[in-house]
Amino acid sequence: MQKFIVALIIGLLSGQMTHAQKSDSNIFGDVKAEGEHLPFVNVYLKGTHYGTMTDNSGHFMLINLPEGMHTLVASLMGFRPVEKEVVIEKGKTIEMNFVLKEQVMSLDDIVITGTKTFKRKTESPVVVNVMEGRKLEMLQAGTLSEGLAFQPGLRMETDCQTCNYTQLRMNGLGGAYSQILINSRPVFSPLTGLYGLEQIPANMIERIEVVRGGGSALYGAGAVGGTVNVITKVPDANSFSVSANQAIINGDASDFQLNADAGVLADRKNAGLTLFASHRKREAYDHNEDNFSELPELSNNSFGFTSFLLPAPNHKLELSFSSMEEYRYGGEQDITPAYQAEQSEERTHRVLMGGLDYSFAFNSNQSSFAAFVAGQRTDRDHYTGIKPDLGTPEYDEFLELPPYGTTDNQTYMGGVQMNHLLPDFLGGKNNLTFGVEYNYDMVDDEIKTYKYILDQTIRNFGSYLQSDWAVNRKFTILTGLRADKHNMVDNMILSPRVSLLYKHNGWQVRSGWSTGFRAPQAFDSDMHIAFAGGGIQRVELADDLKEETSQSWTASLNLDQPQEAYIWGFTLEGFYTTLYDAFVLEEAGVDELGNAILEKRNGDNATVQGVTLELRGNYNRLWQLETGYTIQSSRNETAVNWSENIEGTKDFLRTPEQYGYYTFTYNPQWGIKAALSGVYTGSMLVPHYGLSGDAGTPDVDQLAKSDSFLETNIKMSYALDWRDVGVGLEFFGGVQNIFNQYQDDFDSGKNRDSNYIYGPSRPRTVFFGVKLFSL
């Protein structure tokens, strides 16, 4: 470790000196595919920051390269990367040419989420699923929340009939067990998780990396269900696109989206900037014609950028920023202001989010150092209320002080990470990773009318150490330890992890074990105020609430078989998680104003277990099929009394035992695309709070068993090739939820139970649009 620290200091002091040295060692050449030169291909020395791109004629040149044995890589999205060994000698110029072959499936992408270091998917001891931004567009997924539905083991869920907040469930666990990262940073706060997944437009996303299970604990021990890492676009060429999309929801409500993005790259390829902007305007939709919406009115505007600068060889600076402003209103329609409605929710969010990363490599590229800062700020004005009946004493009091509220949420973090490669470690290679980080989150939420105040400040100092030991070409052992000191937990918590990978003849066998914890704090859904029983319903934390801990086991089998004309593969993964002192919500009477209270308490242990099967195939680059299906169970050891009026249940609520998805795409020639996709949601137990004597709700509380749903979607597109002017024009259209598989037993009227909602997020929706893009 002392040698490593000395090497780090020398690298810091000599970074610019190294930049000044000139070896006069150069490499030039070209890159082709099927006899045609390819522009904008990345050509770089592996493990260094020496790199460039081919020009418009498909040629490249690298100058003043470091001497010695190196690997030269040529890569371009949609093609298989090619690596060539090269010996660079001082004062010599070498010619090296490449021929790339089109890649039919993304089987061996470079990923970072599994180990916090860049690795190929096939070499990662943790299963990492990747969804590229272009796949989101092909499936007509306009936001992050819509795209995550097409990932194995994941399920997006809408949890409020009035405001439509969403949460992501992974491996049978709720949204609070998952961690959302933006460019590898956990800037999604517990409050941001309520609506943030729907506020991130798809056109800012380069790819999404998903790690299911606790194997992602280095990002935070609270990621028991898994981690989703959203990687935003970084330019690799000068480009632009503008698209407009008009949708009609069940023949009634309009949903319009306008997206634009542009990439700008410096001539020397050492700096770049991607800009994005998005606008969305959706009308409210009333499904059961009671004049109360099932889909709220939305108005969203967002913009931002991602940029990079290579100030010196082996040095990289990245800066990202985004601004999102959203207005949403749900409840009784055509009534303004909100407090004049019989029942409504109104939200205005203003979200700023950004991050700065600096990294460099040294010690002959066997060591690297990275530092980062990131943060977000959310200002929210909101209203949640039911207007009392006219003529009652509560009516006048309500009009004098309607239940408006304000929220201030700030999240800041910073940290450093160091990596050091031991190239000869007991006959193999070992990549050591060490890092420390500090996370701060503050939320101040208040509604004076309800005497509701949430004043929560979270401070967590974390450190982690990881060993990624490739024992040989077939066997890898990944071990890690994370230590967290959380201000709401008395003692420091240690979270170890172990993952194993064995490869043989295309087969990959993985297994893993990890631990984690969740602090006794309010998470996303705990901050949501619902309507139930003719009033509001909110969550309070028990006075003696303590941390929940977990232990997770995973095992998987993976095989991909490429042939000349086709490729197919599968992944079979099993998971088993035990939650100790599991958090539960139980009804605990009413407050002084008569509003229902759900208390968050520690229950007994709980177990979540299941299996996920993934299948994939591609034939001759014409069609591609991907599908995932999960069978699981989630149960508490003892019954949870979610209602004081009926018997409790051991089963997790709102958690189907079976769910899955499929995507089928067809691309017979350039410019013609078709996509068929579907999301299956099995039957689940859904709590349904009633109000005696109200026609729009049940008379008593019920535990309903929902129907199962298969949401089927289709999209077709045709593009005009105007290559002579450098642009293309695409026309597209289709139908989402073709067979109108949508909940048909919503409550009605102002006393409805707003949390009684399940199944697909929208009814049948017809859409059409146009896109202008650079070629």
Side-chain angles (χ1 to χ4, degrees):
M1 180 58 72
Q2 289 179 341
K3 292 182 179 179
F4 178 47
I5 295 174
V6 172
L8 171 62
I9 295 173
I10 294 174
L12 283 167
L13 295 176
S14 62
Q16 298 301 323
M17 294 174 59
T18 302
H19 178 48
Q21 296 175 354
K22 293 185 178 181
S23 65
D24 200 25
S25 302
N26 312 311
I27 299 177
F28 72 94
D30 64 14
V31 183
K32 294 181 180 180
E34 297 182 353
E36 299 289 334
H37 282 97
L38 288 176
F40 307 121
V41 178
N42 291 295
V43 182
Y44 60 93
L45 289 183
K46 188 175 183 180
T48 78
H49 284 272
Y50 289 90
T52 186
M53 285 187 179
T54 57
D55 57 21
N56 289 327
S57 67
H59 293 78
F60 70 92
M61 186 166 188
L62 293 165
I63 62 174
N64 291 321
L65 301 176
E67 301 172 51
M69 176 70 74
H70 291 278
T71 301
L72 188 65
V73 183
S75 67
L76 180 66
M77 184 178 294
F79 294 84
R80 296 177 184 173
V82 175
E83 299 183 357
K84 292 186 176 183
E85 298 297 324
V86 57
V87 177
I88 298 176
E89 299 180 20
K90 186 174 182 178
K92 290 189 177 182
T93 298
I94 306 171
E95 179 180 1
M96 298 192 72
N97 301 315
F98 292 87
V99 176
L100 301 187
K101 293 184 178 181
E102 194 169 353
Q103 182 170 269
V104 295
M105 294 188 74
S106 300
L107 299 179
D108 205 15
D109 289 330
I110 302 296
V111 296
I112 188 174
T113 308
T115 62
K116 273 204 171 187
T117 57
F118 291 97
K119 293 181 72 74
R120 294 194 179 279
K121 284 175 58 177
T122 54
E123 297 174 357
S124 174
V126 180
V127 175
V128 182
N129 290 92
V130 179
M131 188 176 197
E132 296 179 352
R134 60 182 177 176
K135 186 68 173 292
L136 297 175
E137 179 182 359
M138 186 173 292
L139 299 175
Q140 196 58 22
T143 64
L144 174 61
S145 64
E146 293 175 359
L148 289 176
F150 299 101
Q151 282 288 291
L154 274 60
R155 190 174 71 84
M156 286 304 305
E157 176 179 283
T158 302
D159 280 348
C160 180
Q161 184 185 4
T162 306
C163 74
N164 275 197
Y165 88 87
T166 59
Q167 66 171 303
L168 171 66
R169 292 182 177 267
M170 302 180 69
N171 280 2
L173 292 167
Y177 292 89
S178 305
Q179 189 166 49
I180 309 297
L181 309 174
I182 305 296
N183 294 322
S184 301
R185 309 306 175 203
V187 293
F188 253 57
S189 70
L191 176 69
T192 311
L194 278 173
Y195 304 102
L197 297 177
E198 196 174 11
Q199 293 170 345
I200 295 182
N203 68 313
M204 70 178 283
I205 299 173
E206 174 69 28
R207 70 182 187 276
I208 302 170
E209 298 182 4
V210 178
V211 175
R212 300 189 301 271
S216 55
L218 285 192
Y219 286 98
V224 178
T227 295
V228 173
N229 192 4
V230 179
I231 310 297
T232 57
K233 291 181 177 179
V234 175
D236 56 10
N238 293 323
S239 63
F240 76 89
S241 70
V242 180
S243 65
N245 172 68
Q246 176 65 58
I248 305 298
I249 303 171
N250 213 18
D252 183 31
S254 169
D255 188 357
F256 175 75
Q257 288 183 272
L258 179 65
N259 297 313
D261 59 79
V264 181
L265 196 65
D267 291 338
R268 297 176 61 185
K269 319 298 184 186
N270 65 336
L273 175 71
T274 294
L275 300 166
F276 74 89
S278 178
H279 166 76
R280 184 179 188 184
K281 180 71 174 179
R282 185 180 74 188
E283 296 176 344
Y285 170 73
D286 176 14
H287 187 69
N288 57 4
E289 299 182 346
D290 65 344
N291 203 39
F292 289 80
S293 66
E294 273 66 57
L295 297 180
E297 172 190 350
L298 278 182
S299 179
N300 184 298
N301 292 287
S302 58
F303 68 90
F305 67 85
T306 303
S307 61
F308 76 91
L309 173 66
L310 307 179
N314 296 339
H315 290 247
K316 187 175 185 179
L317 187 67
E318 295 178 282
L319 176 65
S320 62
F321 171 81
S322 64
S323 172
M324 289 170 276
E325 183 165 352
E326 182 192 78
Y327 172 82
R328 66 173 62 206
Y329 174 89
E332 188 179 16
Q333 299 301 287
D334 305 319
I335 303 294
T336 55
Y339 74 90
Q340 292 288 2
E342 292 296 314
Q343 181 242 61
S344 70
E345 289 189 56
E346 185 180 53
R347 307 277 186 267
T348 299
H349 290 87
R350 293 169 292 274
V351 183
L352 299 177
M353 188 178 298
L356 176 66
D357 290 65
Y358 174 68
S359 61
F360 70 92
F362 58 98
N363 191 25
S364 300
N365 297 303
Q366 293 184 3
S367 304
S368 65
F369 171 84
F372 75 92
V373 290
Q376 72 84 29
R377 178 163 187 171
T378 300
D379 291 319
R380 182 177 70 159
D381 298 319
H382 56 96
Y383 170 87
T384 305
I386 298 179
K387 188 165 67 174
D389 294 333
L390 182 65
T392 63
E394 293 81 9
Y395 182 85
D396 293 332
E397 295 176 2
F398 179 87
L399 294 183
E400 289 179 5
L401 187 61
Y404 283 93
T406 58
T407 309
D408 180 20
N409 177 218
Q410 300 179 43
T411 307
Y412 304 106
M413 65 202 62
V416 297
Q417 177 176 309
M418 291 177 286
N419 299 296
H420 182 63
L421 176 66
L422 301 175
D424 187 11
F425 182 82
L426 300 179
K429 296 181 180 180
N430 196 343
N431 195 349
L432 300 177
T433 300
F434 169 74
V436 295
E437 60 187 26
Y438 178 77
N439 291 51
Y440 170 89
D441 180 75
M442 179 278 292
V443 58
D444 184 3
D445 189 18
E446 181 177 12
I447 305 176
K448 292 182 179 179
T449 305
Y450 297 144
K451 298 183 179 179
Y452 169 79
I453 297 178
L454 176 62
D455 184 5
Q456 178 176 275
T457 299
I458 303 300
R459 293 180 295 274
N460 186 80
F461 177 80
S463 60
Y464 52 88
L465 177 64
Q466 176 181 268
S467 166
D468 186 0
W469 178 22
V471 180
N472 50 47
R473 291 187 175 184
K474 293 186 176 182
F475 188 48
T476 300
I477 302 175
L478 179 73
T479 56
L481 177 67
R482 181 180 173 99
D484 287 278
K485 183 62 185 77
H486 195 289
N487 65 305
M488 289 191 170
V489 179
D490 292 335
N491 301 315
M492 179 177 290
I493 294 183
L494 300 179
S495 303
R497 63 178 283 194
V498 178
S499 296
L500 306 176
L501 167 64
Y502 179 75
K503 299 183 296 181
H504 182 70
N505 291 338
W507 292 88
Q508 300 166 43
V509 181
R510 294 177 174 89
S511 62
W513 168 81
S514 63
T515 64
F517 80 98
R518 288 204 303 153
Q521 67 181 75
F523 292 93
D524 42 18
S525 58
D526 303 329
M527 302 180 188
H528 177 256
I529 296 179
F531 297 111
I536 68 163
Q537 183 186 72
R538 59 187 181 88
V539 175
E540 287 188 354
L541 306 184
D543 292 335
D544 59 350
L545 188 67
K546 63 179 182 179
E547 69 272 12
E548 171 191 76
T549 59
S550 65
Q551 188 168 192
S552 300
W553 298 84
T554 60
S556 67
L557 181 66
N558 184 94
L559 176 66
D560 289 295
Q561 287 293 306
Q563 304 294 331
E564 185 172 346
Y566 65 89
I567 186 170
W568 66 272
F570 76 91
T571 300
L572 181 65
E573 181 180 41
F575 57 90
Y576 186 95
T577 298
T578 302
L579 305 175
Y580 303 98
D581 301 314
F583 292 155
V584 298
L585 289 177
E586 296 187 317
E587 201 168 37
V590 298
D591 61 17
E592 59 183 285
L593 300 176
N595 297 313
I597 298 297
L598 289 176
E599 188 173 69
K600 185 174 182 177
R601 304 166 175 167
N602 290 108
D604 290 329
N605 300 341
T607 300
V608 179
Q609 57 186 322
V611 61
T612 295
L613 174 64
E614 304 173 43
L615 299 175
R616 49 194 171 268
N618 183 294
Y619 175 71
N620 207 27
R621 296 184 291 274
L622 292 176
W623 59 259
Q624 183 163 309
L625 173 68
E626 297 180 51
T627 184
Y629 198 81
T630 299
I631 301 174
Q632 62 94 46
S633 70
S634 304
R635 288 176 60 85
N636 294 284
E637 286 186 358
T638 57
V640 176
N641 298 310
W642 62 273
S643 169
E644 293 180 328
N645 300 320
I646 64 174
E647 186 177 352
T649 178
K650 293 183 179 180
D651 293 312
F652 280 24
L653 301 178
R654 312 184 64 86
T655 306
E657 293 185 347
Q658 300 182 45
Y659 53 93
Y661 80 99
Y662 74 89
T663 64
F664 178 83
T665 57
Y666 180 61
N667 186 10
Q669 65 183 60
W670 189 96
I672 298 178
K673 299 176 185 177
L676 183 69
S677 62
V679 176
Y680 174 74
T681 304
S683 179
M684 69 186 94
L685 296 177
V686 184
H688 195 180
Y689 292 95
L691 178 62
S692 178
D694 185 86
T697 65
D699 285 333
V700 296
D701 296 348
Q702 300 175 354
L703 187 58
K705 190 172 180 62
S706 73
D707 295 329
S708 59
F709 295 90
L710 177 60
E711 180 183 0
T712 305
N713 318 296
I714 189 170
K715 179 181 179 180
M716 302 184 71
S717 64
Y718 178 75
L720 300 175
D721 185 353
W722 294 343
R723 199 170 300 271
D724 54 335
V725 293
V727 299
L729 182 65
E730 181 182 76
F731 300 92
F732 60 88
V735 184
Q736 294 167 313
N737 200 352
I738 298 173
F739 303 109
N740 215 15
Q741 294 273 296
Y742 195 61
Q743 182 179 346
D744 60 3
D745 65 340
F746 288 109
D747 282 359
S748 61
K750 77 171 189 177
N751 294 320
R752 64 185 185 175
D753 176 5
S754 64
N755 280 356
Y756 184 62
I757 182 172
Y758 54 86
S761 61
R762 61 182 162 235
R764 181 188 295 120
T765 300
V766 178
F767 65 89
F768 53 90
V770 62
K771 177 184 177 183
L772 180 69
F773 58 98
S774 59
L775 292 175

